[in-house]
Amino acid sequence: MDLITTSQLAAPDAAYNMIVDAHRGLDEKDSAVLNARLVFLLANHIGELSVLEQAIALAKEEL
């Protein structure tokens, strides 16, 4: 299975705002913990190691 990189969200701006709002009021440590938890939950939802591997590689390209 290949990583889908086109938007699959019906309301991408709302999704972005939801993520930003979830971080509001958190310090740097708690924000990092929230990100880690969110990544693991979504990785589990995806359930495909090959897709996760592709996502990690793509995300690291910008670092």
Side-chain angles (χ1 to χ4, degrees):
M1 177 181 283
D2 287 330
L3 177 67
I4 299 168
T5 57
T6 58
S7 180
Q8 302 296 299
L9 296 165
D13 290 339
Y16 173 82
N17 288 330
M18 189 181 303
I19 293 168
V20 169
D21 288 345
H23 289 269
R24 198 173 317 280
L26 299 179
D27 62 23
E28 189 173 338
K29 177 183 176 256
D30 288 340
S31 181
V33 169
L34 174 62
N35 277 337
R37 288 178 177 170
L38 185 57
V39 166
F40 282 117
L41 287 166
L42 294 173
N44 183 67
H45 179 76
I46 292 167
E48 292 284 336
L49 285 179
S50 64
V51 174
L52 181 58
E53 183 177 42
Q54 291 171 55
I56 291 170
L58 185 61
K60 287 180 79 172
E61 282 182 8
E62 300 301 319
L63 298 178

